[in-house]
C-alpha cells in the first residue's frame, strides 16, 4: 500500500532528508515549503490537507532563529504554535497521523542529569516558549500525534554549527567556542530516519504509544568538544591542512540575545524501548565533511 505523506518545511535540514528517504520507501510525498504552503494560513492548510488526504503529516517547518525570535515574537508564535495547530486540526479531520519536531529549548537547561520526556518544562526564551506552545497545540488538536524533541541539529543542507566551524577554520588560526553548554549533536538524516520509522510503526492498528519522544546524538559533548571533533575529522579527510586553535570559553564570554540551555542532554530511552531507535551516532556523520565545506 502506497502511503501518502504531506511534508512541510521540505527545504530545511531535516525536510530535505525526509523527502529523500520517504521517496526511497516508495511513499507518495507532497513536499511543501513556505512558498508552496504557508502553515500560518489556516484556510490554506485546511484546503491542502482535505484535498491531498494524507495518511501522514510530518511538520518539519519551524522558526529556528533563536536570537531573532526574541524580537520577532509574532512570527515565532505564528510558525511554531499556530502552524502546528492548523496542521493538527487538519490531521484530525482526515484521520492522518501527525509527527511534529520540537526542541530541547522547552527545558530550562539547569538539570544535573538527562532530560526525560516527563520532566517539567520551563523555556527561557521566545523560541523555546513558542515551540512548547506548538507541542501543546499538537497534543490538543490531534489524537494520533507523535512529538520528537531533538537538539543540536546539523546536516548537509542549510546553516548549522558544522558549516560555521569549517567556514571559520578557513578564515582564522584560532577561535573561541563555548565549553559550558553540553548536549548531543544530532544528524538531520538520522532524525528523518527516526521519524519515518516511528510513522511506519504508528500506522499499525494496534499502536497506542502516542505523545512525546526524545531523540538526539551520543556521546554527549560540549560545543567546544564538538568543534574539536569537526576539525580533527576535516584534517583527517585532508579538507583542512591544519586545525585552528580552539579556545574554551564560557557562555558569559559570548553573550547572545537569547539564553541557551547549559544542559541539552536528552534521555533517549523511551524511543529505543517503543520503536527500537538508537541515539544518533554523530561521529559517524562526520566521516565525509566535503558537503559542509565553504564554496
Amino acid at each position: 500500500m502506497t502511503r501518502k505523506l504531506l511534508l512541510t518545511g521540505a527545504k530545511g535540514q531535516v525536510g530535505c532528508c525526509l523527502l529523500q528517504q520517504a521517496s526511497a520507501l516508495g511513499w507518495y510525498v507532497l513536499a511543501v515549503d513556505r512558498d508552496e504552503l504557508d502553515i500560518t494560513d489556516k484556510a490554506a492548510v485546511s484546503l491542502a490537507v482535505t484535498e491531498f488526504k494524507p495518511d501522514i503529516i510530518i511538520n518539519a517547518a519551524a522558526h529556528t532563529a533563536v536570537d531573532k525570535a526574541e524580537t520577532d515574537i509574532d512570527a515565532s508564535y505564528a510558525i511554531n504554535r499556530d502552524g502546528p495547530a492548523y496542521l493538527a486540526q487538519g490531521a484530525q479531520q482526515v484521520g492522518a497521523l501527525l509527527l511534529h519536531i520540537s526542541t530541547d529549548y522547552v527545558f530550562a537547561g539547569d538539570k544535573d542529569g538527562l532530560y526525560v520526556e516527563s520532566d517539567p518544562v520551563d523555556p527561557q526564551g521566545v523560541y523555546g516558549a513558542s515551540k512548547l506552545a506548538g507541542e501543546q497545540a499538537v497534543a490538543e488538536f490531534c489524537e494520533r500525534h507523535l512529538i520528537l524533541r531533538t537538539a543540536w541539529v546539523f546536516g548537509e543542507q542549510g546553516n548549522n554549527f558544522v558549516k560555521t566551524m569549517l567556514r571559520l577554520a578557513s578564515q582564522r588560526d584560532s577561535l573561541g567556542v563555548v565549553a559550558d553548554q553540553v548536549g548531543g549533536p544530532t544528524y538531520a538524516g538520522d532524525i528523518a530516519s527516526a521519524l519515518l520509522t516511528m510513522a511506519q510503526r504508528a500506522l499499525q492498528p494496534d499502536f497506542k504509544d502516542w505523545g512525546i519522544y526524545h531523540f538526539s546524538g551520543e556521546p554527549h559533548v560540549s560545543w567546544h568538544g564538538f568543534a574539536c571533533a569537526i576539525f580533527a575529522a576535516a584534517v583527517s579527510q585532508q579538507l583542512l591542512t591544519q586545525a585552528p586553535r580552539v579556545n574554551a570559553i564560557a557562555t558569559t564570554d559570548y553573550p547572545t540575545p537569547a539564553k541557551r540551555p547549559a544542559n541539552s542532554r536528552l534521555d533517549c530511552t523511551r524511543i529505543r524501548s517503543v520503536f527500537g531507535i538508537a541515539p544518533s551516532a554523530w561521529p559517524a556523520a562526520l566521516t565525509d565533511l566535503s558537503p559542509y565545506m565553504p564554496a
Side-chain angles (χ1 to χ4, degrees):
M1 179 180 177
T2 302
R3 298 296 186 180
K4 293 172 70 177
L5 166 64
L6 173 60
L7 170 62
T8 63
K11 293 179 182 174
Q13 290 192 91
V14 178
C16 286
C17 298
L18 278 165
L19 176 56
Q20 184 179 32
Q21 293 181 24
S23 299
L25 289 173
W27 290 8
Y28 180 42
V29 186
L30 176 58
V32 295
D33 209 80
R34 186 170 40 198
D35 295 339
E36 293 89 21
L37 177 63
D38 178 359
I39 65 167
T40 69
D41 183 335
K42 185 176 183 178
V45 171
S46 178
L47 182 64
V49 173
T50 53
E51 285 192 343
F52 184 58
K53 293 184 174 59
D55 303 298
I56 308 140
I57 300 173
I58 300 181
N59 180 34
H63 187 287
T64 57
V66 175
D67 289 324
K68 193 177 177 184
E70 292 299 305
T71 51
D72 207 359
I73 298 170
D74 290 345
S76 296
Y77 275 92
I79 298 167
N80 293 340
R81 175 195 63 195
D82 300 344
Y86 303 150
L87 289 166
Q89 290 166 351
Q92 185 71 14
Q93 187 177 349
V94 300
L97 163 66
L98 175 63
L99 291 92
H100 174 70
I101 302 171
S102 193
T103 174
D104 60 291
Y105 275 73
V106 300
F107 297 116
D110 56 2
K111 182 180 178 179
D112 288 336
L114 308 185
Y115 277 101
V116 296
E117 288 83 354
S118 57
D119 276 331
V121 289
D122 184 18
Q124 300 294 295
V126 172
Y127 169 66
S130 65
K131 290 295 288 181
L132 176 59
E135 289 188 6
Q136 293 166 340
V138 165
E140 178 182 355
F141 293 118
C142 183
E143 186 179 349
R144 299 171 69 223
H145 70 272
L146 294 168
I147 295 166
L148 190 71
R149 290 179 182 148
T150 190
W152 293 23
V153 181
F154 70 96
E156 293 87 354
Q157 303 294 323
N159 298 313
N160 54 65
F161 184 78
V162 177
K163 288 188 176 182
T164 299
M165 289 300 103
L166 292 172
R167 176 174 52 79
L168 291 175
S170 67
Q171 300 168 352
R172 303 183 192 175
D173 295 327
S174 67
L175 61 155
V177 181
V178 171
D180 57 359
Q181 296 172 20
V182 180
T186 316
Y187 176 55
D190 291 340
I191 298 172
S193 178
L195 287 164
L196 294 175
T197 297
M198 294 169 77
Q200 288 173 301
R201 175 67 186 91
L203 285 167
Q204 301 304 313
D206 64 335
F207 185 80
K208 293 183 175 59
D209 294 308
W210 308 107
I212 299 171
Y213 290 84
H214 287 174
F215 178 76
S216 62
E218 290 184 359
H220 296 126
V221 68
S222 69
W223 288 115
H224 176 270
F226 189 28
C228 291
I230 293 164
F231 295 140
V235 170
S236 72
Q237 294 165 41
Q238 300 182 324
L239 297 171
L240 292 177
T241 51
Q242 67 178 52
R245 187 172 67 254
V246 188
N247 302 311
I249 64 172
T251 299
T252 51
D253 296 328
Y254 188 72
T256 56
K259 183 179 179 183
R260 265 68 176 171
N263 176 19
S264 292
R265 295 176 297 160
L266 301 177
D267 187 310
C268 300
T269 302
R270 187 183 185 214
I271 196 169
R272 190 195 291 267
S273 63
V274 174
F275 297 103
I277 297 171
S280 173
W282 62 262
L286 302 183
T287 53
D288 180 12
L289 289 174
S290 54
Y292 298 84
M293 294 298 291

